Amino acid sequence: MHQRDVVTLILLLLAGFSASGQGGHPFVVRQYTKLDYGAENQNWSVTIDQKGFVYAANNVGLLEFDGVEWNFFPAPNGTVIRSVEVDRNDRIYTSGYREIGYWDRDPTGKLNYHSLNPLAESLFTRNEEFWNTLMVGDKVYFHSFSSVFIYDGQQFDVIREDALIHSISELDGKICLHLSGKGLYVLEDTILTPFLSDPALEDDVVRFCTSLSDSSILIGTSFNGLFLLKSGTLEPYLEEWKEYFSGQMINHGAI
Protein backbone atom coordinates (compact mmCIF):
# COMPACT_ATOMS: atom_id res chain seq x y z
CA MET A 1 0.00 0.00 0.00
CA HIS A 2 1.40 3.39 -0.98
CA GLN A 3 1.69 6.17 1.61
CA ARG A 4 -0.86 8.24 -0.29
CA ASP A 5 -3.40 5.48 0.22
CA VAL A 6 -5.16 4.63 3.44
CA VAL A 7 -2.76 4.28 6.37
CA THR A 8 -3.89 2.18 9.30
CA LEU A 9 -2.07 2.34 12.61
CA ILE A 10 -2.56 -0.64 14.86
CA LEU A 11 -1.58 0.08 18.44
CA LEU A 12 -0.63 -3.05 20.34
CA LEU A 13 -0.87 -2.06 23.98
CA LEU A 14 -0.01 -5.14 25.97
CA ALA A 15 1.63 -4.96 29.37
CA GLY A 16 5.20 -6.24 29.35
CA PHE A 17 5.13 -6.69 25.57
CA SER A 18 7.35 -5.28 22.87
CA ALA A 19 7.59 -5.75 19.13
CA SER A 20 10.91 -7.54 19.59
CA GLY A 21 9.09 -10.43 21.23
CA GLN A 22 10.42 -9.91 24.75
CA GLY A 23 8.46 -11.25 27.70
CA GLY A 24 7.52 -14.52 26.00
CA HIS A 25 5.10 -12.97 23.49
CA PRO A 26 6.71 -13.39 20.07
CA PHE A 27 4.57 -12.79 17.01
CA VAL A 28 5.03 -12.92 13.27
CA VAL A 29 3.93 -10.25 10.83
CA ARG A 30 3.39 -11.21 7.20
CA GLN A 31 2.51 -8.80 4.43
CA TYR A 32 0.06 -9.80 1.69
CA THR A 33 0.08 -7.75 -1.50
CA LYS A 34 -2.59 -7.42 -4.17
CA LEU A 35 -0.75 -10.15 -6.09
CA ASP A 36 -1.51 -12.52 -3.21
CA TYR A 37 -5.18 -11.70 -2.74
CA GLY A 38 -6.13 -10.78 -6.31
CA ALA A 39 -7.77 -7.38 -5.87
CA GLU A 40 -6.73 -3.71 -5.67
CA ASN A 41 -4.16 -2.35 -3.24
CA GLN A 42 -6.53 -0.22 -1.13
CA ASN A 43 -8.15 -2.02 1.80
CA TRP A 44 -10.30 0.24 3.96
CA SER A 45 -11.44 -2.00 6.79
CA VAL A 46 -10.76 -5.44 8.25
CA THR A 47 -12.59 -7.75 10.65
CA ILE A 48 -12.62 -11.39 11.78
CA ASP A 49 -15.45 -13.88 12.36
CA GLN A 50 -15.88 -16.52 15.05
CA LYS A 51 -14.22 -19.17 12.89
CA GLY A 52 -11.10 -17.04 12.51
CA PHE A 53 -11.78 -16.03 8.90
CA VAL A 54 -10.53 -12.54 8.03
CA TYR A 55 -12.55 -10.16 5.84
CA ALA A 56 -11.29 -6.98 4.21
CA ALA A 57 -13.22 -4.19 2.50
CA ASN A 58 -11.37 -3.65 -0.77
CA ASN A 59 -11.76 -1.02 -3.48
CA VAL A 60 -13.37 -3.54 -5.81
CA GLY A 61 -14.97 -6.09 -3.50
CA LEU A 62 -14.91 -8.20 -0.36
CA LEU A 63 -11.85 -10.30 0.49
CA GLU A 64 -11.99 -13.46 2.59
CA PHE A 65 -8.92 -15.19 4.06
CA ASP A 66 -9.07 -18.52 5.90
CA GLY A 67 -5.39 -18.53 6.87
CA VAL A 68 -4.33 -20.36 3.74
CA GLU A 69 -6.30 -19.15 0.73
CA TRP A 70 -7.85 -15.87 -0.37
CA ASN A 71 -11.32 -15.58 -1.90
CA PHE A 72 -12.60 -12.50 -3.70
CA PHE A 73 -16.22 -11.43 -4.10
CA PRO A 74 -16.84 -8.49 -6.49
CA ALA A 75 -18.52 -5.41 -5.05
CA PRO A 76 -22.23 -5.01 -5.80
CA ASN A 77 -22.85 -2.56 -8.63
CA GLY A 78 -19.10 -1.99 -8.85
CA THR A 79 -19.10 0.33 -5.84
CA VAL A 80 -16.14 0.73 -3.46
CA ILE A 81 -16.60 -1.17 -0.19
CA ARG A 82 -15.40 1.09 2.63
CA SER A 83 -16.20 -0.96 5.72
CA VAL A 84 -16.92 -4.50 6.89
CA GLU A 85 -18.24 -5.92 10.17
CA VAL A 86 -19.39 -9.38 11.28
CA ASP A 87 -22.25 -10.09 13.70
CA ARG A 88 -22.50 -12.90 16.25
CA ASN A 89 -24.02 -15.21 13.63
CA ASP A 90 -21.17 -14.51 11.18
CA ARG A 91 -23.38 -12.43 8.89
CA ILE A 92 -21.03 -10.01 7.13
CA TYR A 93 -22.20 -6.41 6.80
CA THR A 94 -20.53 -4.07 4.30
CA SER A 95 -21.12 -0.48 3.26
CA GLY A 96 -19.72 2.14 0.91
CA TYR A 97 -20.90 4.78 -1.55
CA ARG A 98 -24.71 4.86 -1.37
CA GLU A 99 -24.78 1.15 -0.57
CA ILE A 100 -25.57 -0.89 2.56
CA GLY A 101 -25.96 -4.65 2.70
CA TYR A 102 -24.84 -8.00 4.05
CA TRP A 103 -23.37 -11.31 2.89
CA ASP A 104 -24.34 -14.79 4.03
CA ARG A 105 -23.45 -18.32 2.97
CA ASP A 106 -25.52 -20.64 0.84
CA PRO A 107 -25.45 -24.44 1.47
CA THR A 108 -22.31 -24.75 -0.68
CA GLY A 109 -20.43 -22.23 1.47
CA LYS A 110 -20.45 -19.47 -1.14
CA LEU A 111 -21.05 -15.91 0.04
CA ASN A 112 -24.05 -14.14 -1.48
CA TYR A 113 -24.85 -10.45 -1.20
CA HIS A 114 -28.16 -8.95 -0.07
CA SER A 115 -28.63 -5.20 -0.47
CA LEU A 116 -30.44 -3.26 2.26
CA ASN A 117 -30.91 -0.29 -0.05
CA PRO A 118 -34.63 -1.02 -0.54
CA LEU A 119 -35.02 -0.10 3.16
CA ALA A 120 -32.38 2.62 3.38
CA GLU A 121 -31.95 4.38 0.03
CA SER A 122 -34.86 6.78 0.48
CA LEU A 123 -33.03 8.11 3.56
CA PHE A 124 -29.71 8.72 1.75
CA THR A 125 -28.42 12.18 0.98
CA ARG A 126 -27.26 12.81 -2.58
CA ASN A 127 -23.66 11.77 -1.90
CA GLU A 128 -24.11 9.53 1.14
CA GLU A 129 -20.97 7.44 1.65
CA PHE A 130 -20.48 5.08 4.57
CA TRP A 131 -16.99 4.71 6.04
CA ASN A 132 -17.48 2.67 9.21
CA THR A 133 -19.74 -0.15 10.36
CA LEU A 134 -20.15 -1.21 14.00
CA MET A 135 -22.11 -4.08 15.52
CA VAL A 136 -23.32 -3.37 19.06
CA GLY A 137 -25.84 -5.74 20.61
CA ASP A 138 -28.49 -6.54 18.02
CA LYS A 139 -28.04 -3.31 16.08
CA VAL A 140 -25.73 -2.36 13.22
CA TYR A 141 -24.43 1.22 12.94
CA PHE A 142 -23.37 2.57 9.54
CA HIS A 143 -21.41 5.83 9.73
CA SER A 144 -21.11 8.50 7.07
CA PHE A 145 -19.70 11.98 7.70
CA SER A 146 -23.22 13.44 7.81
CA SER A 147 -25.20 10.69 9.53
CA VAL A 148 -25.41 7.39 11.40
CA PHE A 149 -27.83 4.77 10.05
CA ILE A 150 -29.04 2.32 12.71
CA TYR A 151 -30.38 -1.04 11.53
CA ASP A 152 -32.25 -3.30 13.98
CA GLY A 153 -32.83 -6.15 11.55
CA GLN A 154 -36.15 -4.76 10.37
CA GLN A 155 -35.81 -1.05 9.67
CA PHE A 156 -33.46 1.94 9.79
CA ASP A 157 -33.30 4.95 12.09
CA VAL A 158 -31.10 7.87 11.04
CA ILE A 159 -29.15 10.30 13.21
CA ARG A 160 -28.17 13.58 11.53
CA GLU A 161 -26.38 16.50 13.16
CA ASP A 162 -25.44 20.03 12.12
CA ALA A 163 -21.77 19.08 12.41
CA LEU A 164 -19.43 16.71 10.63
CA ILE A 165 -19.36 13.27 12.27
CA HIS A 166 -15.67 12.39 12.17
CA SER A 167 -15.86 8.92 13.72
CA ILE A 168 -17.89 6.42 15.69
CA SER A 169 -16.52 3.98 18.27
CA GLU A 170 -17.91 1.48 20.75
CA LEU A 171 -17.44 2.22 24.44
CA ASP A 172 -18.80 -0.43 26.80
CA GLY A 173 -21.79 -1.22 24.64
CA LYS A 174 -22.53 2.38 23.70
CA ILE A 175 -21.72 4.34 20.55
CA CYS A 176 -19.36 7.30 20.89
CA LEU A 177 -19.34 9.96 18.15
CA HIS A 178 -16.91 12.79 17.53
CA LEU A 179 -18.70 15.88 16.22
CA SER A 180 -16.52 18.49 14.54
CA GLY A 181 -15.93 21.51 16.78
CA LYS A 182 -18.08 20.06 19.57
CA GLY A 183 -16.28 17.07 21.07
CA LEU A 184 -17.39 13.54 21.97
CA TYR A 185 -21.03 12.50 22.30
CA VAL A 186 -22.64 9.23 23.39
CA LEU A 187 -25.55 7.79 21.42
CA GLU A 188 -28.24 5.94 23.38
CA ASP A 189 -31.10 4.71 21.20
CA THR A 190 -31.44 7.80 18.98
CA ILE A 191 -30.48 10.43 21.58
CA LEU A 192 -27.06 12.14 21.57
CA THR A 193 -25.64 13.24 24.93
CA PRO A 194 -22.44 15.32 25.41
CA PHE A 195 -19.66 13.15 26.81
CA LEU A 196 -16.37 15.05 26.60
CA SER A 197 -15.53 18.55 25.44
CA ASP A 198 -11.89 19.64 25.35
CA PRO A 199 -10.01 22.01 22.99
CA ALA A 200 -7.50 19.24 22.20
CA LEU A 201 -10.35 17.17 20.77
CA GLU A 202 -12.63 19.86 19.40
CA ASP A 203 -9.91 21.34 17.19
CA ASP A 204 -8.64 17.98 15.92
CA VAL A 205 -10.20 14.85 14.42
CA VAL A 206 -10.81 11.97 16.82
CA ARG A 207 -10.18 8.77 14.85
CA PHE A 208 -11.03 6.23 17.54
CA CYS A 209 -11.91 5.70 21.18
CA THR A 210 -11.51 2.39 22.99
CA SER A 211 -12.03 1.24 26.57
CA LEU A 212 -9.10 -0.20 28.51
CA SER A 213 -9.18 -2.82 31.25
CA ASP A 214 -8.75 -0.21 34.03
CA SER A 215 -11.90 1.66 32.88
CA SER A 216 -9.86 4.42 31.26
CA ILE A 217 -10.43 5.37 27.61
CA LEU A 218 -7.74 5.63 24.96
CA ILE A 219 -8.43 8.33 22.37
CA GLY A 220 -6.54 8.67 19.09
CA THR A 221 -6.50 11.94 17.13
CA SER A 222 -5.31 12.71 13.62
CA PHE A 223 -2.62 15.25 14.47
CA ASN A 224 -2.19 15.55 18.25
CA GLY A 225 -1.41 11.92 18.99
CA LEU A 226 -2.99 9.88 21.79
CA PHE A 227 -4.87 10.86 24.93
CA LEU A 228 -5.97 8.94 27.99
CA LEU A 229 -9.24 9.76 29.75
CA LYS A 230 -9.10 8.49 33.32
CA SER A 231 -11.34 9.47 36.23
CA GLY A 232 -12.65 12.40 34.23
CA THR A 233 -9.18 13.80 33.43
CA LEU A 234 -7.80 13.96 29.89
CA GLU A 235 -4.03 13.66 29.59
CA PRO A 236 -1.59 13.14 26.69
CA TYR A 237 -0.51 9.51 26.28
CA LEU A 238 2.84 8.29 24.86
CA GLU A 239 3.98 11.87 24.39
CA GLU A 240 7.34 10.69 23.04
CA TRP A 241 5.43 9.47 19.95
CA LYS A 242 3.47 12.68 19.38
CA GLU A 243 5.84 14.07 16.76
CA TYR A 244 5.73 10.81 14.83
CA PHE A 245 1.94 10.63 14.99
CA SER A 246 1.65 14.26 13.89
CA GLY A 247 3.71 13.53 10.79
CA GLN A 248 1.99 10.26 9.88
CA MET A 249 -1.62 10.99 10.88
CA ILE A 250 -3.44 8.31 12.87
CA ASN A 251 -6.29 6.72 10.90
CA HIS A 252 -7.52 4.07 13.33
CA GLY A 253 -6.43 2.04 16.33
CA ALA A 254 -7.21 -1.36 17.82
CA ILE A 255 -6.07 -3.37 20.79
Side-chain angles (χ1 to χ4, degrees), residues 90-222:
D90 287 342
R91 174 179 284 183
I92 305 156
Y93 288 90
T94 57
S95 61
Y97 180 71
R98 293 183 61 83
E99 181 66 41
I100 293 176
Y102 66 89
W103 308 71
D104 59 14
R105 295 186 189 279
D106 64 21
T108 69
K110 179 184 176 182
L111 287 178
N112 295 295
Y113 182 74
H114 306 271
S115 178
L116 291 173
N117 276 25
L119 294 175
E121 193 169 18
S122 64
L123 305 172
F124 291 170
T125 60
R126 181 176 180 180
N127 292 309
E128 198 90 68
E129 184 163 18
F130 300 95
W131 291 84
N132 296 285
T133 304
L134 287 180
M135 187 79 203
V136 180
D138 294 324
K139 294 182 178 180
V140 193
Y141 297 80
F142 301 92
H143 159 240
S144 77
F145 290 129
S146 63
S147 61
V148 177
F149 279 56
I150 307 169
Y151 179 59
D152 64 1
Q154 301 294 327
Q155 62 184 13
F156 282 90
D157 286 317
V158 182
I159 305 298
R160 294 196 189 276
E161 287 296 310
D162 59 354
L164 198 65
I165 304 173
H166 286 305
S167 63
I168 62 171
S169 305
E170 179 188 358
L171 291 178
D172 297 325
K174 297 179 181 180
I175 295 294
C176 182
L177 287 73
H178 181 227
L179 302 184
S180 180
K182 294 186 176 183
L184 296 177
Y185 283 68
V186 170
L187 177 63
E188 298 186 68
D189 292 325
T190 59
I191 305 300
L192 278 176
T193 304
F195 174 63
L196 178 63
S197 179
D198 188 281
L201 304 182
E202 294 170 11
D203 299 334
D204 203 339
V205 175
V206 173
R207 294 297 188 181
F208 73 90
C209 302
T210 187
S211 300
L212 303 182
S213 59
D214 63 356
S215 298
S216 61
I217 296 172
L218 183 67
I219 300 171
T221 67
S222 283

Side-chain angles (χ1 to χ4, degrees), residues 237-255:
Y237 186 71
L238 293 180
E239 284 192 277
E240 65 271 23
W241 282 83
K242 182 175 180 179
E243 183 177 351
Y244 174 82
F245 289 148
S246 297
Q248 300 299 319
M249 192 173 74
I250 293 175
N251 182 270
H252 195 63
I255 298 177

